[in-house]
Amino acid sequence: MTGGRAIILGRIREALRNNPAPRPHTSHSQSEAAADHNGHAQREWLPKVGETLPERIDLFAKISEGLTTEFHRVSTITAARELLVKLATESDWKKIASHSHDDTDALLEGIGLPIVRTEKGYAIDDLESCDAGVTGCEVLVAQTGGVMVSVESAGGRALSVLPPHHVVIARTSQMVPDLTAAFEHVKLKYGTQFPSFISFITGPSRTGDIERILVLGAHGPKRLTVILLDE
Amino acid sequence: MATQSADFQTLSRRYTADKGFRAFIQKGLSGYYQKRDQNKANFQDWQGARDLAAETKYEAVNHLDKYLLEFEAKITTRGAKVFWAQNAEAARDYILKVAKENNVRSIIKSKTMTSEEIHLNDALEKQGFGVFESDLGEYIVQLRKEAPFHLVFPAMHLTRGQISDLFQKELGSEATDEPEKLTMIARDVMRRKYCEADMGISGTNFAVAETGMISITENEGNARLTTSLPKIHVALLGIEKVLPKLEDLSLFLPMLATAGAGQTMTCYNTMYAGPRQPGEPDGPEQMHVVLLDNRRTELLADAEQRDALGCIRCGACLNVCPIFKNVGGYSYGTTYGGPIGSVITPHLRGLKDWKHLSAASSLCGACTEACPVKIDLHHHLLQNRRNGAKASPSPAEKIAFGGFSLMMGHPALYRFAVVFGRIFQPLQNLVNGTILDPLRAWTGSRKFPTLAPQSFHEQWKKDRGSKP
């Protein structure tokens, strides 16, 4: 059942035939760049990102602050583990959720808490009652302070959104300059076999729906912690 | 009958007279202006980005058949079902059919203006399905049995006190004037709904032809939960929302965030390529994409205004519109309010009943300047005025402009009119704006300047006569 496919396509073609619309009036000479659509034309206009890795990490840190993302740089996995234990103690975590992945496994070693693992399926209520979700990610985006996750790199769709605290572990090699580079990463890694879910997470969940006043933790995590491991 | 026009007049008068309400809306928007400007300034060149966005949308909309077919082919291989709905009824019937066939009991929705356009909630509720809006603002207006006030800020017309009263009455919660507590009340209610719902309905901000993905932009996380936990995901998608390439999103996502809410990026921007794939741990078993025409092809056929299909529903034109800021969202009586609504509604729902909206504009052009995809909004409003006058000419206007043209074409007549005006203006001033005033439709809210005792023409004649 495809409904009115033929009719709608017919109407579209009829509307476009012999009926050219004026090209948009643009003040910049970039029509060629847009027409050949190499996907990089936007880099000329979008917010600037530094050339070097330290500049990018600094930019990510600066934007994270504005977003209230808790951003930590650590030099060893042991330091990352200590940080996680500190978070668990401070917030009195009883149960956490994660997925099997090199970095998350290393991070959670010896944590001493019950862990719900999502990669082979899970009960929704079991995940919902966790105090935190610990995941890996595809890349970090310096330009926007964003974390790109997918089914593959973050244990499914719900692990990074259902528990009230989302902890992400990433390595410096995962820091990319901008969204364009993040999409390139995905194409390179998966070809056409994309995970069914890919998301840019930019700060903890928020709403301004009541009098335009910012409240964190509307439906998703109230806290987002990003741990960047130096390589 | 022009009832829509009469309703607009009644409601807009009522809202405009309420100074407290207008101040409340202005205050709500003031933070937006500041953050929007900061984020625009972070762009290397916001105008260049607008040009590129307009070019990209031009390419997509003018090859709409090609990109829709590419999108359909790609997302179908991933296991999603695509349904092409010619009108609102076809879309509703299809969604009802999917719900019935799968014995759905509870439905959770994330924000979708397209579902407002096709009055989906009513249809689902009439058939006995429980439907819950999960976006906080949408949930609030749903509990009040109202439509969204604004494309992006659905409950911006309500004070925290009104929301607290509503929650006390409908949810039995404690009174509070803290937005945070109110938000947490809604969060707790919704948590249970996500876990119980067996169908999630979402909108779509962009569809990507190249990869067969839909992209959803949100701040709260409600759309992610709506599309992750229930076993069926239905995505509503206006046919105009398709983009050619995945990388196009790297331009449109930050632009939507900046223009829409003054953010660098909206909190969650999620791309979905089909339902749960083999080997994936969660996600819906079924994904249905409902492609909606509902007379968008009428707008497509109008080459002059075709660029209006580039709209990304950011709401930037509403936020800067002097009319919207005064009359508010409900005066329009349309799903899509503000300048963009006034442009597209006559195409989507008929020029005859909706042409009055194009008069609800000062033609200042603030909307056109604010539009991230450079839709020529204020000129389209002028074109709608022209089309409206052509389709159903008003005899009174014809006589008035005929008389004006006659007067301006004949100096003797013009001079007579000026003398006539000087005599009658003081008399008119006595009854100005009252029921006795024959010109009250005009003078009720406007002041005509006093005619000078001597016209320039008379002065020129007199002074030149006295000089060598």
Side-chain angles (χ1 to χ4, degrees):
Chain A
M1 182 173 171
T2 52
R5 186 173 187 269
I7 296 167
I8 295 171
L9 282 169
R11 288 177 59 95
I12 291 170
R13 286 170 182 153
E14 176 68 33
L16 293 175
R17 189 178 304 136
N18 302 325
N19 205 2
R23 282 199 87 83
H25 171 78
T26 56
S27 43
H28 296 75
S29 53
Q30 60 174 12
S31 349
E32 267 173 45
D36 80 355
H37 238 81
N38 56 20
H40 301 295
Q42 60 267 19
R43 280 194 168 137
E44 217 176 311
W45 319 115
L46 289 168
K48 221 173 172 60
V49 185
E51 288 295 323
T52 65
L53 182 65
E55 283 177 290
R56 289 171 186 174
I57 294 173
D58 284 349
L59 181 61
F60 187 91
K62 190 181 137 219
I63 298 176
S64 292
E65 205 181 318
L67 292 166
T68 66
T69 300
E70 298 159 34
F71 177 59
H72 302 274
R73 283 187 76 177
V74 293
S75 44
T76 62
I77 191 74
T78 318
R81 249 179 241 145
E82 280 164 12
L83 183 65
L84 193 71
V85 169
K86 193 164 154 257
L87 284 174
T89 321
E90 276 171 6
S91 318
D92 196 18
W93 291 349
K94 300 273 191 290
K95 182 169 81 168
I96 59 173
S98 190
H99 62 115
S100 291
H101 173 281
D102 289 348
D103 287 335
T104 50
D105 287 346
L107 182 64
L108 291 170
E109 213 180 279
I111 185 86
L113 284 169
I115 301 174
V116 176
R117 302 231 176 231
T118 59
E119 71 273 7
K120 294 209 168 66
Y122 57 90
I124 291 175
D125 288 331
D126 205 14
L127 180 60
E128 207 273 330
S129 58
C130 288
D131 297 304
V134 180
T135 75
C137 65
E138 293 291 341
V139 291
L140 302 179
V141 185
Q143 188 181 49
T144 62
V147 180
M148 186 195 229
V149 297
S150 68
V151 175
E152 168 87 9
S153 57
R157 297 190 184 201
L159 173 58
S160 55
V161 73
L162 199 54
H165 190 159
H166 179 202
V167 180
V168 181
I169 173 109
R171 291 170 176 271
T172 42
S173 59
Q174 285 173 284
M175 179 69 71
V176 299
D178 54 17
L179 297 170
T180 307
F183 286 124
E184 277 171 354
H185 157 85
V186 157
K187 282 184 172 172
L188 211 64
K189 179 167 169 188
Y190 296 106
T192 55
Q193 297 305 302
F194 302 108
S196 71
F197 157 93
I198 299 169
S199 188
F200 292 104
I201 299 172
T202 312
S205 158
R206 62 197 56 218
T207 185
D209 273 350
I210 300 172
E211 294 190 14
R212 311 289 319 125
I213 293 164
L214 177 71
V215 175
L216 296 180
H219 293 283
K222 297 172 192 186
R223 289 175 72 182
L224 172 64
T225 303
V226 177
I227 304 173
L228 183 64
L229 182 60
D230 277 329
E231 282 177 313
Chain B
M1 272 304 291
T3 54
Q4 278 82 8
S5 171
D7 287 351
F8 182 87
Q9 296 230 350
T10 314
L11 285 169
S12 57
R13 279 208 184 102
R14 190 187 304 157
Y15 280 107
T16 310
D18 189 342
K19 283 190 184 163
F21 183 77
R22 278 158 52 192
F24 181 70
I25 297 296
Q26 287 280 9
K27 186 167 164 269
L29 289 172
S30 60
Y32 160 82
Y33 298 136
Q34 203 191 353
K35 288 194 296 170
R36 177 203 58 188
D37 292 344
Q38 280 168 7
N39 274 292
K40 271 191 192 175
N42 280 340
F43 277 67
Q44 292 174 74
D45 187 342
W46 174 256
Q47 298 305 331
R50 287 177 77 213
D51 284 345
L52 183 58
E55 290 273 358
T56 308
K57 278 287 188 177
Y58 177 87
E59 163 68 21
V61 169
N62 283 283
H63 301 92
L64 195 54
D65 50 341
K66 177 182 133 190
Y67 290 120
L68 282 174
L69 287 173
E70 188 182 354
F71 166 75
E72 183 195 36
K74 293 275 164 61
I75 201 162
T76 305
T77 19
R78 310 271 313 183
K81 292 201 172 69
V82 177
F83 179 80
W84 299 63
Q86 263 174 278
N87 50 37
E89 198 190 357
R92 287 192 304 257
D93 287 351
Y94 178 75
I95 297 167
L96 279 168
K97 190 178 97 57
V98 172
K100 283 179 189 161
E101 281 175 3
N102 290 284
N103 297 315
V104 164
R105 285 152 299 133
S106 174
I107 300 172
I108 189 121
K109 280 180 71 199
S110 61
K111 186 167 171 41
T112 146
M113 290 308 288
T114 317
S115 83
E116 298 287 335
E117 178 188 333
I118 65 169
H119 303 288
L120 182 62
N121 288 9
D122 275 356
L124 290 167
E125 278 164 3
K126 267 190 199 126
Q127 299 279 322
F129 296 105
V131 185
F132 301 94
E133 292 288 348
S134 58
D135 172 86
L136 177 60
E138 291 283 345
Y139 181 53
I140 292 166
V141 295
Q142 186 189 29
L143 285 178
R144 284 173 61 95
K145 299 181 174 60
E146 284 177 350
F149 182 86
H150 181 290
L151 293 179
V152 179
F153 317 132
M156 73 175 298
H157 59 303
L158 299 171
T159 64
R160 60 186 88 180
Q162 286 171 298
I163 296 165
S164 171
D165 290 349
L166 176 75
F167 282 4
Q168 282 180 69
K169 187 168 144 252
E170 300 291 333
L171 308 173
S173 59
E174 299 280 317
T176 174
D177 62 357
E178 289 173 42
E180 179 157 9
K181 280 194 179 146
L182 291 166
T183 304
M184 292 312 133
I185 292 167
R187 177 184 169 107
D188 289 343
V189 171
M190 275 311 143
R191 285 258 142 177
R192 289 193 297 278
K193 307 287 181 204
Y194 295 120
C195 298
E196 290 160 12
D198 29 29
M199 180 188 261
I201 300 178
S202 75
T204 304
N205 292 90
F206 305 99
V208 182
E210 178 195 24
T211 53
M213 290 175 182
I214 63 164
S215 172
I216 299 178
T217 293
E218 51 147 352
N219 269 312
E220 297 183 1
N222 62 310
R224 285 191 54 195
L225 290 163
T226 298
T227 52
S228 295
L229 302 178
K231 66 176 190 215
I232 301 167
H233 173 199
V234 176
L236 280 160
L237 169 59
I239 53 169
E240 79 283 17
K241 299 237 170 136
V242 68
L243 291 173
K245 302 268 182 208
L246 186 59
E247 281 85 354
D248 291 334
L249 290 175
S250 49
L251 178 70
F252 281 96
L253 300 179
M255 289 192 83
L256 174 60
T258 295
Q263 292 176 276
T264 308
M265 273 285 268
T266 317
C267 194
Y268 301 107
N269 286 283
T270 309
M271 283 64 68
Y272 297 94
R276 169 188 195 165
Q277 303 295 301
E280 293 185 346
D282 57 4
E285 293 156 21
Q286 298 176 30
M287 179 183 187
H288 301 264
V289 177
V290 179
L291 270 177
L292 184 70
D293 178 351
N294 212 23
R295 297 178 65 136
R296 282 164 174 76
T297 42
E298 300 270 329
L299 182 51
L300 189 71
D302 184 341
E304 195 175 43
Q305 296 191 32
R306 187 176 295 157
D307 66 347
L309 284 173
C311 175
I312 57 172
R313 305 280 187 263
C314 66
C317 60
L318 281 69
N319 300 340
V320 298
C321 177
I323 308 299
F324 178 86
K325 284 189 273 184
N326 283 302
V327 308
Y330 291 143
S331 298
Y332 292 85
T334 56
T335 305
Y336 307 104
I340 184 66
S342 300
V343 167
I344 65 176
T345 307
H347 296 270
L348 300 182
R349 294 170 73 177
L351 182 63
K352 192 165 155 282
D353 287 335
W354 300 98
K355 63 171 194 265
H356 62 279
L357 293 178
S358 51
S361 165
S362 62
L363 300 179
C364 65
C367 48
T368 306
E369 208 170 299
C371 180
V373 295
K374 298 189 79 169
I375 300 169
D376 198 0
L377 289 157
H378 69 294
H379 285 111
H380 294 337
L381 290 172
L382 261 179
Q383 290 148 6
N384 278 347
R385 288 186 192 181
R386 178 201 63 204
N387 297 346
K390 213 184 272 173
S392 44
S394 144
E397 271 181 22
K398 246 190 157 155
I399 292 168
F401 281 104
F404 181 73
S405 149
L406 192 72
M407 180 180 81
M408 298 310 278
H410 297 81
L413 261 182
Y414 179 81
R415 260 169 254 144
F416 172 75
V418 171
V419 175
F420 182 83
R422 277 194 205 117
I423 297 166
F424 281 88
Q425 195 173 38
L427 298 176
Q428 196 270 335
N429 278 345
L430 296 175
V431 294
N432 187 44
T434 70
I435 196 142
L436 294 170
D437 182 357
L439 302 174
R440 69 179 177 282
W442 174 265
T443 55
S445 56
R446 297 172 184 87
K447 214 174 157 76
F448 198 83
T450 309
L451 288 168
Q454 258 192 342
S455 71
F456 175 75
H457 185 257
E458 284 160 346
Q459 281 184 35
W460 177 261
K461 228 167 143 183
K462 203 171 116 216
D463 289 359
R464 207 166 60 149
S466 70
K467 276 179 189 155

